[in-house]
Amino acid sequence: MLVAAIAGHQLGALPGTTISATRATLTVENPYAAGGSWYKGNLQIASVHGVGKDLPSAISEWYRAHGYDFLGISDQNTYTWSSDYGHPGFTGVPTVNASYSFADVLAVGIDHWLPASNLQGAVDWIRHDGGLPVVAAPLASAKRQSAPALLGLHGLFGLEIYDARLAATTAGEGDATTVWDGLLSAGTRVYGFAGDDLVSLDDSSVGGAWINVLAPAADLDSLFSSLRAGAFTASTGAEFVSFSVRGTTITAEAAPGCNLRFIGRGGRLLTAIAGPVGSYRVTGAEGYVRVEALRDDGGRAWSQPFFLSRR
């Protein structure tokens, strides 16, 4: 009793009272919690209205014929009307490649272009006008983005982590996964995109990278809402089927023939699964958790981060 009384006094409680300690609960944020169906699309395509070589109608026909559900033709500093390539059952997503001497930024959900004197200014006007700013081709030698510059940004929504054209033509410039992990490890909430960066339908990179959006329907409002929520994956061939979170356990399922990798802060491998279905129980020390699916032929898919918090 004496020890209990002393302990109670030290904690500011009266002897004999019950002391309850409030402990924050570890929470795993699941960007895919709302569910829906998967819709395949590409948001980095150039037409004859920009630096591309093909008509929007021809581009639309190719992607429709190859199983895509939506497309965003992103011409440089020019809006190509989505009605030029969107059709019933095939959604056109307004997108502009806001191109500057210092960077290329995909303005997703935007139908115009504005000048900017620096990367922060470009991000700001896109967000102000209701769009999603995504830095494209961050490792391209002509406009390479330094880690400090990206870390200093406020309001960046996405980063193109895989550029199919650059990956096919220039070693070391197409895959920016390491840059993405650097941003995530520093506490920046940013989502990973992949795209063809198409200039011509004759390019070897056509159909080489895309995103899959988990949405209730393939109409523009549903797709954009899911994009904003981070309910999408990036891919070069592998595909995810589903994600779930139960307590602090993340479970991912990919298509048959895939293996899984759960990755945390600094790009550290948390666990590898030999097969298309696997789980990882979060400890809270990971910073974030993302999942990769890999096929034997090199096809790859990236989930968005499952962010961790204590509440």
Side-chain angles (χ1 to χ4, degrees):
M1 288 295 294
L2 179 60
V3 173
I6 294 172
H9 175 72
Q10 289 174 335
L11 293 171
L14 294 174
T17 60
T18 300
I19 302 170
S20 60
T22 302
R23 186 174 182 180
T25 301
L26 177 62
T27 300
V28 180
E29 299 177 27
N30 180 7
Y32 306 101
S37 299
W38 292 104
Y39 298 102
K40 183 178 181 179
N42 214 304
L43 299 175
Q44 196 183 16
I45 307 290
S47 77
V48 293
H49 297 162
V51 299
K53 299 179 180 179
D54 302 293
L55 291 169
S57 57
I59 295 170
S60 173
E61 287 305 313
W62 190 96
Y63 282 92
R64 289 177 67 191
H66 287 79
Y68 287 70
D69 303 293
F70 67 91
L71 193 68
I73 292 183
S74 48
D75 283 315
Q76 285 190 3
N77 303 344
T78 300
Y79 176 58
T80 297
W81 289 92
S82 55
S83 57
D84 289 350
Y85 56 91
H87 306 278
F90 187 77
T91 304
V93 178
T95 310
V96 172
N97 178 6
S99 184
Y100 307 96
S101 61
F102 48 82
D104 286 301
V105 186
L106 296 180
V108 182
I110 293 293
D111 62 0
H112 56 279
W113 174 86
L114 292 177
S117 58
N118 53 48
L119 185 51
Q120 185 63 66
V123 168
D124 287 346
W125 80 254
I126 294 168
R127 284 181 59 88
H128 178 271
D129 290 2
L132 308 178
V134 179
V135 170
L139 296 181
S141 56
K143 302 180 184 181
R144 182 179 289 266
Q145 302 302 311
S146 69
L150 292 173
L151 284 170
L153 291 174
H154 301 284
L156 178 65
F157 182 81
L159 183 79
E160 186 180 42
I161 58 174
Y162 195 89
D163 183 304
R165 183 179 61 82
L166 288 177
T169 60
T170 312
E173 294 188 8
D175 188 339
T177 306
T178 300
V179 178
W180 188 33
D181 276 320
L183 292 174
L184 294 172
S185 299
T188 302
R189 291 196 170 214
V190 62
Y191 297 102
F193 285 74
D196 281 347
D197 194 4
L198 187 75
V199 175
S200 169
L201 290 171
D202 293 327
D203 290 348
S204 62
S205 60
V206 62
W210 59 88
I211 59 174
N212 288 312
V213 179
L214 187 63
D219 62 275
L220 179 58
D221 288 344
S222 296
L223 291 172
F224 194 73
S225 178
S226 289
L227 281 170
R228 189 180 291 278
F232 62 100
T233 64
S235 178
T236 66
E239 302 282 5
F240 285 107
V241 175
S242 66
F243 299 95
S244 64
V245 173
R246 185 170 184 177
T248 57
T249 298
I250 301 169
T251 298
E253 179 181 357
C258 292
N259 297 316
L260 300 177
R261 296 176 4 128
F262 289 78
I263 294 168
R265 180 187 287 119
R268 181 172 66 92
L269 177 64
L270 302 171
T271 189
I273 307 294
V277 182
S279 299
Y280 175 77
R281 185 173 181 179
V282 174
T283 67
E286 299 86 352
Y288 62 90
V289 177
R290 61 178 184 82
V291 191
E292 290 186 3
L294 300 96
R295 293 193 321 205
D296 290 341
D297 64 1
R300 189 176 176 189
W302 299 256
S303 79
Q304 299 307 323
F306 291 75
F307 293 110
L308 313 179
S309 61
R310 290 191 180 273
R311 298 174 181 173

